[in-house]
Amino acid sequence: MPMLDHLFDRNVAWAQAKTRDDPDYFRRMAEVQSPQYLWIGCSDSRVTANDVLGLDPGQVFVHRNIANIVHTSDMNILSVLEFAIEHLHIRHIIVCGHYGCGGIERALSDEKSALVDHWLQPIVMLYRKHRAHLDAIADPVARLDRMCEINIELQVRRIASTPIVEQAWLRELPIMIHGWIYGVHDGLMRALGPPVRSLAERDAMASIDARVLDPVEPESMIRRHAIEAFAEITSFEPAEGFDCCDGHALKLEGP
Ligand code: CO
């Protein structure tokens, strides 16, 4: 009977390496956890929150399920959400899906014979509603990736509509909900629009149906850093007689 001894061996090697590099590592880990981020992601084995964020254990509180779906009757995710906000005092909620998601691919297929198809129903229904528009994307990979993005936007709206988050915003807790997508092909995260920070911002959001018809181009973190760096330059006041670029301020598309 396989006992997976190799995993225990790897565990011992890992714990020894950690202690060798940082003798206090496990003493710190044994203290109370104080993560700053809640990660709601896909169960996909390639998208592990700590790794892609470059964070140590203890820094991100994680909930994962197939296709990072927020079912508003799911006691699991609601408990995680409440615990994260009320007890861990987390203020950043990151809904992060990924390109090439097998769950979303399943939702776009005609296979409807397993429990997972019940789980994926919100995506299936959204796809059916906009099928003519989405099927007009001829490349199946591009269509899948588009649906992966739409799914994240939908789940951001669902998190923002839970009574847990609504109550937190009413109490003026600075909760921010971020919708991101991860590229398994390049290891980079992209933001799908600015974070949602209040009831007013949530209510001002375009409907998910409108988003299907008018997508945002994802903004990689690298591009965002570039935009922020250049934003400082746009505030530069040219001196009198400074005629570079005819004195026009450098203009960049905002996020
Ligand atoms: Co996935």
Side-chain angles (χ1 to χ4, degrees):
M1 184 174 141
M3 298 302 290
L4 303 181
D5 285 347
H6 64 291
L7 293 183
F8 284 91
D9 292 343
R10 292 181 73 98
N11 166 248
V12 170
W14 172 79
Q16 285 176 338
K18 281 287 181 192
T19 312
R20 193 167 50 237
D21 295 343
D22 180 356
D24 287 335
Y25 184 81
F26 289 108
R27 189 189 54 72
R28 282 202 315 279
M29 286 299 133
E31 292 170 2
V32 175
Q33 63 164 343
S34 56
Q36 291 183 294
Y37 316 100
L38 167 60
W39 173 276
I40 296 171
C42 182
S43 297
D44 191 295
S45 62
R46 298 165 296 179
V47 194
T48 49
N50 288 79
D51 290 324
V52 306
L53 296 174
L55 294 176
D56 275 334
Q59 295 187 294
V60 55
F61 196 55
V62 173
H63 174 89
R64 292 167 70 185
N65 64 49
I66 292 174
N68 41 275
I69 289 179
V70 179
H71 282 277
T72 49
S73 58
D74 176 8
M75 292 297 284
N76 188 344
I77 199 166
L78 295 177
S79 304
V80 166
L81 185 62
E82 184 182 74
F83 190 81
I85 293 174
E86 301 299 333
H87 297 279
L88 296 174
H89 308 294
I90 287 174
R91 300 299 175 242
H92 290 281
I93 300 168
I94 300 164
V95 179
C96 189
H98 64 103
Y99 288 118
C101 180
I104 303 298
E105 188 171 24
R106 171 86 181 190
L108 302 188
S109 77
D110 292 324
E111 284 285 326
K112 300 282 176 273
S113 56
L115 191 56
V116 72
D117 299 309
H118 292 270
W119 181 256
L120 296 167
Q121 202 181 25
I123 309 307
V124 173
M125 291 174 73
L126 189 66
Y127 175 53
R128 279 195 197 139
K129 187 173 180 183
H130 296 289
R131 186 156 193 168
H133 181 79
L134 292 163
D135 284 356
I137 304 171
D139 177 7
V141 175
R143 189 188 314 138
L144 170 60
D145 287 348
R146 180 76 204 97
M147 204 63 198
C148 291
E149 293 169 358
I150 292 168
N151 177 50
I152 294 159
E153 293 201 42
L154 175 61
Q155 307 317 328
V156 164
R157 283 160 174 74
R158 288 181 156 213
I159 286 283
S161 300
T162 58
I164 295 166
V165 169
E166 287 181 339
Q167 282 301 314
W169 274 332
L170 285 171
R171 284 154 46 213
E172 300 191 343
L173 296 182
I175 305 289
M176 296 173 74
I177 307 171
H178 308 261
W180 294 354
I181 190 159
Y182 173 77
V184 287
H185 57 285
D186 62 11
L188 296 177
M189 217 103 67
R190 288 102 170 134
L192 295 169
V196 190
R197 298 171 299 182
S198 66
L199 286 169
E201 285 189 359
R202 182 203 67 188
D203 292 343
M205 290 173 88
S207 72
I208 196 67
D209 296 317
R211 300 303 303 147
V212 172
L213 303 172
D214 179 25
V216 270
E217 183 191 347
E219 186 182 280
S220 72
M221 283 306 162
I222 290 170
R223 186 165 157 249
R224 167 173 288 188
H225 292 157
I227 289 170
E228 285 172 0
F230 279 108
E232 288 173 17
I233 295 173
T234 60
S235 61
F236 170 72
E237 293 280 337
E240 204 169 327
F242 182 88
D243 62 357
C244 170
C245 324
D246 297 330
H248 291 309
L250 176 60
K251 199 163 189 312
L252 279 168
E253 291 295 316

